[in-house]
Amino acid sequence: MHNVGFEQVSAAITSLQVVNHIGRVTHIWQGMVEVSGLAEIAAQADLVQIQPRTGAPRMGEVLGLSGGNISVLPDGDCAGLQIGDEVVLLGGTNIAPDDSWIGRVVDPLGQSLDGQPILQGTQTRALKGEVPNPTARRPLGGGLRPE
């Protein structure tokens, strides 16, 4: 078992969200969901959790911001979603890996899939890396030459 240090406890406390920003579904079309009430605080690529009145909650990603609404691409289909369902803004896609994750099964967001608690590391990292400048990349090489 991995020893829990002060750094892990401090990181867990720091990552707690004190306030939940909640919006409402206003429009559902072609696999997209439009949400009101979060446009002033949401950012491109933020994560949200859609909480339908019936069925399990599902994650989604903010794809567009316009006026007072945001456009969300939910994970999975929109079946069962209704106008007025709650949408909780979770924020950016950062994870904090820890050495205790070695040998564990985690999802792309760093959540445990084996039903056991998982320790968060002390340093958060962006889930999506920086795109390298194409002109600064090394050459691909000679390739195959016909004989």
Side-chain angles (χ1 to χ4, degrees):
M1 179 80 180
H2 184 75
N3 291 332
V4 179
F6 177 74
E7 294 82 17
Q8 281 87 8
V9 173
S10 177
I13 292 171
T14 304
S15 69
L16 289 175
Q17 233 179 319
V18 179
V19 176
N20 284 332
H21 299 284
I22 298 175
R24 298 280 178 185
V25 173
T26 59
H27 193 131
I28 303 168
W29 80 101
Q30 298 177 350
M32 294 288 291
V33 176
E34 191 168 294
V35 178
S36 67
L38 298 175
E40 297 297 320
I41 52 177
Q44 183 75 29
D46 274 354
L47 294 178
V48 298
Q49 184 175 44
I50 304 168
Q51 299 178 330
R53 291 179 212 140
T54 59
R58 63 195 77 169
M59 300 293 287
E61 181 179 349
V62 176
L63 292 185
L65 303 156
S66 66
N69 296 322
I70 62 172
S71 297
V72 173
L73 177 64
D75 289 347
D77 62 12
C78 292
L81 296 182
Q82 298 176 320
I83 303 299
D85 285 346
E86 284 187 356
V87 179
V88 179
L89 181 65
L90 300 177
T93 53
N94 294 327
I95 62 171
D98 185 69
D99 286 342
S100 66
W101 291 19
I102 296 173
R104 301 286 303 276
V105 181
V106 296
D107 70 7
L109 300 176
Q111 301 299 312
S112 170
L113 294 179
D114 60 10
Q116 300 298 315
I118 191 163
L119 293 175
Q120 297 298 311
T122 57
Q123 183 180 12
T124 58
R125 296 180 177 116
L127 190 59
K128 297 178 181 178
E130 293 290 322
V131 178
N133 181 346
T135 61
R137 295 180 184 167
R138 65 176 174 79
L140 292 175
L144 297 176
R145 295 184 186 166
E147 292 185 21

